[in-house]
Amino acid sequence: MTDAFSAAAEPTRRRILQLLAASPRTVNEIAAEFTSTRSAISQHLLLLAAVGLVEAEKVGRNRIYRVQPDGLRRLQAEIDRFWTHELDLLVADAHTLAASRPTSHSATDKDSR
Amino acid sequence: MTDAFSAAAEPTRRRILQLLAASPRTVNEIAAEFTSTRSAISQHLLLLAAVGLVEAEKVGRNRIYRVQPDGLRRLQAEIDRFWTHELDLLVADAHTLAASRPTSHSATDKDSR
DNA sequence: CGAATGCGTTAGTCATGACTAACGTATTTC
DNA sequence: GAAATACGTTAGTCATGACTAACGCATTCG
């Protein structure tokens, strides 16, 4: 697991990143948002730190984790590189198709979201 | 593995999606781009089809895979939902910081990429 | 009709990731 | 200084995913 894309894709880590983006937190504060143990969350945090998506600041006996903006920018670059021109065109096609065929299954599917 | 985000994050599947976005292909044509067996690629394709990111059209004894634009749109929506307002702000900060502190560690780190 | 081709399927292996429990360490509190 | 707190660390389990090999089915070709 060396790339930020794969690291950020895991559902638990996605939530962690969103929590930390809202505001930096300690490990216990983060773990309080989940049902699994603090150890599990700590390991997720260490992984996120290993790929440079978060960083920790030790203050007293606490470790305050925060998102690392530069790592986040790398993640965005990875996603952008994946989201090639062709993919973009296909999505655009999906939009126009959904607009022109409002009664198709894709349109109802869109409503349910 | 039910969400498109996790499914698309796997490196091999990322490449498959990009290949299919450029143009639809048969399983053998796709497998030719990789070192692993056709079976492995086929299973990746079935997984991608299961989450609705690709679809197959049977023509003769070939199965032509193509990206499913609607599924791709769902993936984009998932990524957008992950990429919250806060994450966006942090990335914007990274940009301005990189511009204002070109000699900082983050700037040299950027150069090495 | 028999051989070859294109794929999906299945079984089984191997590596890896997510997790818990127990422990060790630094720091604060009393 | 002893207990409590906040972590990281380690070991070990369990589930899952990536993969190969072998097989089966349909389709095309000779």
Side-chain angles (χ1 to χ4, degrees):
Chain A
M1 174 90 52
T2 65
D3 65 312
F5 201 150
S6 305
E10 205 279 329
T12 300
R13 287 194 287 269
R14 253 186 277 174
R15 281 191 54 200
I16 290 180
L17 285 173
Q18 292 183 319
L19 287 173
L20 292 183
S23 68
R25 295 157 204 258
T26 66
V27 178
N28 272 336
E29 285 170 348
I30 301 169
E33 304 284 337
F34 298 86
T35 59
S36 51
T37 61
R38 176 189 57 78
S39 178
I41 304 302
S42 178
Q43 291 175 45
H44 278 303
L45 287 167
L46 292 175
L47 194 157
L48 288 173
V51 298
L53 282 173
V54 305
E55 59 187 358
E57 172 200 1
K58 184 171 182 182
V59 54
R61 62 187 166 190
N62 293 325
R63 285 175 71 88
I64 303 180
Y65 277 91
R66 68 186 73 246
V67 172
Q68 225 258 339
D70 222 58
L72 208 61
R73 214 163 44 128
R74 283 204 313 271
L75 171 59
Q76 193 182 38
E78 268 189 50
I79 295 179
D80 284 353
R81 203 177 321 130
F82 162 71
W83 208 270
T84 55
H85 186 54
E86 286 88 3
L87 287 170
D88 227 16
L89 288 179
L90 290 170
V91 171
D93 283 353
H95 276 290
T96 60
L97 287 175
S100 62
R101 301 187 278 108
T103 57
S104 72
H105 68 288
S106 62
T108 56
D109 190 21
K110 181 191 60 177
D111 292 339
S112 65
R113 285 197 309 275
Chain B
M1 176 89 52
T2 65
D3 66 313
F5 201 151
S6 305
E10 204 278 331
T12 299
R13 287 194 287 269
R14 251 186 278 175
R15 279 191 55 199
I16 291 179
L17 286 174
Q18 292 182 320
L19 287 173
L20 293 182
S23 69
R25 296 157 204 257
T26 67
V27 177
N28 272 336
E29 286 171 347
I30 301 169
E33 304 283 340
F34 297 87
T35 60
S36 51
T37 62
R38 176 189 56 77
S39 178
I41 303 302
S42 179
Q43 291 175 45
H44 278 304
L45 286 167
L46 292 176
L47 193 158
L48 288 172
V51 299
L53 282 174
V54 305
E55 60 188 357
E57 171 198 2
K58 183 173 184 180
V59 54
R61 63 186 167 189
N62 292 327
R63 286 174 70 88
I64 303 182
Y65 277 92
R66 68 185 73 247
V67 172
Q68 227 257 339
D70 223 58
L72 209 60
R73 214 165 43 128
R74 283 205 313 272
L75 171 58
Q76 194 181 38
E78 269 188 49
I79 294 178
D80 284 352
R81 204 177 320 130
F82 162 71
W83 209 270
T84 55
H85 186 53
E86 286 88 4
L87 287 170
D88 228 16
L89 288 179
L90 290 170
V91 171
D93 283 352
H95 277 292
T96 58
L97 287 176
S100 62
R101 302 187 278 108
T103 56
S104 73
H105 69 288
S106 62
T108 56
D109 191 22
K110 181 190 60 177
D111 291 340
S112 66
R113 284 198 308 277

